[in-house]
Amino acid sequence: MQLVNRLQVPARTIMTPGPVEVDPRVLQTMSSSILGQFDPSFTSLMNETMNQLRQVLQTKNHWAYPVDGTSRAGIEAMLCSVIEEEDKVLIPSFGRFGGLLTEIAERCGAEVYLMSCEWGSVFDPEDVIKELKKVQPKVLAMVHGDTSTGRMQPLQEIGYACRELDVLLIVDAVATVAGTEVKTDDWKIDGLITGTQKCLSVPAGMAPLTYNNRIEKILLERKSIEKGLISPSLTLSGSERRIRSNYLDLSQLQDYWSPARLNHHTEATTMLYGLYEGLRIILEEGLEVRYARHRLNERALVAGIEAMGLSLFGDHQFKLPTVTCVNIPDGVDGDSVRMMLLDEFGIEIASSFGPLHGKIWRIGTMGYSCQQRNVLLTLAALEAVLLRHKVKVNTGEGVQAALDIYQNTSVTV
C-alpha cells in the first residue's frame, strides 16, 4: 500500500474578494464535538443562530437561516423557490454576478428582462424604477456589491419603489453583509442572500438568507398546490408550479428550521458551529464599529495605491468598500505580478472576469483579512514586485501614505 503524505497547507495572507481568512476563534469552535441534528443542544444552537442572523441582517423577519452550500446555493434556493414558469423578472446587471442571477432566473423558466450598464458604474435608481413601471415584473433581482467590478448599487430608493409597485425585491448581498451597511427591512428588501466566505470570515459552505411574509406566502402556496391542498392557477398546472429543486426548496427548509424540525437533510454540524461563532464575533465587535474598520482599511489601501502611482478602476462614488480595483499598468503582465506576490510573499490578490480580465487587480479588505497588518504588508510587497517587473513607482510612498491614514484616525483596528 502506498502511503499518502499528510496534508501540508502553506501559510497565506489572503487579500482577495473571497474567500478570506477565517477568524481563528471560528476555526477553534469548528473543532468541537459533533452533535446529532435533533439533540436539544443542537436545535438550541439553530435557534440562537437564527436570532444572531436577524441582528446582523438588520431584520425582524421570522425566517433567517443558512442554506447548506456556498452563496450560490442560497441565491439559487431563493430564486427557484420564488420564480415560476413565465414569471417576469427584471435584472439590472452591472458586473459578472448580475449575469449569474440572469442564468439562474432563466433556468427557472422566467421571462427575463435584462438591464446593462458599463462595468465600473452602477444604475441611477430612477432608471431602474422607470423600467420597473414599464415591465411590471414579479421580481426585481439585483446584486448589492459586485466584486467583479468593485461597485456597490444604492438600493433604498429602489426598494421603496418595489414595495409601492408590488414587486418583490431579491438582493445578492454576498459581498457586503458585515462589511458595510445592509438594512434589509429599512430598504424594503423582500429576500436577501449572503455567504459565509467573505465579510463573515467563516469558511465557504453556508449561505445565510432571510425573507419576509410576502415571499413566505408564495412558498406556502406553491407547497400547497404540490400537495394537492389547493387548485393550481388556470394558466399553469400543479407540476409546473412546484418548486423544482428538493434540496433548495425553501418551503421545506423552513419546516426544518421551524420548531417542528421536519427532517429535510443532515445539517452541516461543524459549519453551523462556525457560522454561530462568526456571527457572535460580529455582534461582539458591533456592526457600526465593524463597518468603520472596513472603511478605515479601505481608505489606507486606496491612499497607498494612489501614492505609489497606480490608478483605481471604476466610478469612485459607488466604490464597494470591501473591494479595491486597481488598473494594471500598461505593458505589465498582471498574472505574473500576482504569482510573484504569492510565491515570494505568500500574499494572494485576484484578477477579474470577462472584459476586465488582465486589466485590473482586485484587492479585498473583508472580515478578518481586513486589518492594518495585511494592508501594510500588501502595499510593501506589491511595491517590491512591481519594481522587479520594471514598473516605475513612487518608492516607499505607498506604505507611508497608508500609515498616515492609520496614525491620523482614532478607530481601533
Side-chain angles (χ1 to χ4, degrees), residues 16-18 72 92-100 117-122 143-152 172 174-176 198 313-314 318 320 322-327 350-364 366:
T16 72
R72 187 172 300 202
S93 175
F94 57 98
R96 180 197 181 200
F97 294 99
L100 174 63
C117 67
E118 183 180 357
W119 284 27
S121 60
V122 297
V143 176
H144 183 212
D146 198 309
T147 58
S148 67
T149 65
R151 300 308 106 185
M152 185 166 67
D172 166 354
V174 173
T176 51
K198 296 187 186 285
F313 167 80
F318 301 104
L320 178 59
T322 55
V323 179
T324 297
C325 297
V326 183
N327 289 313
S351 181
S352 193
F353 310 97
L356 295 181
H357 181 71
K359 295 182 178 180
I360 65 170
W361 293 305
R362 298 178 301 141
I363 304 176
M366 294 178 161

Side-chain angles (χ1 to χ4, degrees), residues 79-80 82-89 105-112 138 222 233 235-244:
L79 293 180
C80 79
V82 172
I83 297 171
E84 304 177 48
E85 291 279 349
E86 302 176 8
D87 278 343
K88 291 181 179 181
V89 177
E106 288 175 341
R107 285 173 180 249
C108 295
E111 183 180 350
V112 174
K138 173 181 177 179
R222 295 184 76 179
S233 70
T235 56
L236 295 174
S237 69
S239 62
E240 287 175 321
R241 293 203 63 188
R242 77 160 65 180
I243 295 171
R244 297 296 178 88

Side-chain angles (χ1 to χ4, degrees), residues 363-378:
I363 304 176
T365 44
M366 294 178 161
Y368 190 75
S369 290
C370 180
Q371 51 180 288
Q372 178 175 329
R373 172 185 177 276
N374 285 2
V375 170
L376 295 176
L377 284 175
T378 300

Side-chain angles (χ1 to χ4, degrees), residues 35-47 256 261 267-270 272-273:
L35 292 171
Q37 62 178 332
F38 299 114
D39 185 309
S41 293
F42 189 74
T43 56
S44 176
L45 175 65
M46 293 172 72
N47 291 337
Y256 181 57
R261 304 293 177 203
E267 185 55 35
T269 311
T270 55
L272 190 65
Y273 296 168

Side-chain angles (χ1 to χ4, degrees), residues 244-315:
R244 297 296 178 88
S245 175
N246 175 283
Y247 188 73
L248 301 176
D249 182 343
L250 293 184
S251 73
Q252 294 188 48
L253 285 170
Q254 70 179 28
D255 287 339
Y256 181 57
W257 283 86
S258 75
R261 304 293 177 203
L262 296 183
N263 187 40
H264 178 264
H265 67 287
T266 302
E267 185 55 35
T269 311
T270 55
M271 278 301 306
L272 190 65
Y273 296 168
L275 176 59
Y276 172 88
E277 180 65 7
L279 295 171
R280 187 197 68 78
I281 290 168
I282 290 167
L283 294 172
E284 179 181 72
E285 182 177 12
L287 290 178
E288 294 303 324
V289 173
R290 193 175 183 90
Y291 302 153
R293 172 166 63 84
H294 280 76
R295 288 193 300 270
L296 172 61
N297 285 293
E298 176 207 22
R299 284 176 53 216
L301 176 63
V302 167
I305 292 293
E306 293 182 329
M308 201 183 300
L310 301 176
S311 64
L312 301 183
F313 167 80
D315 186 339

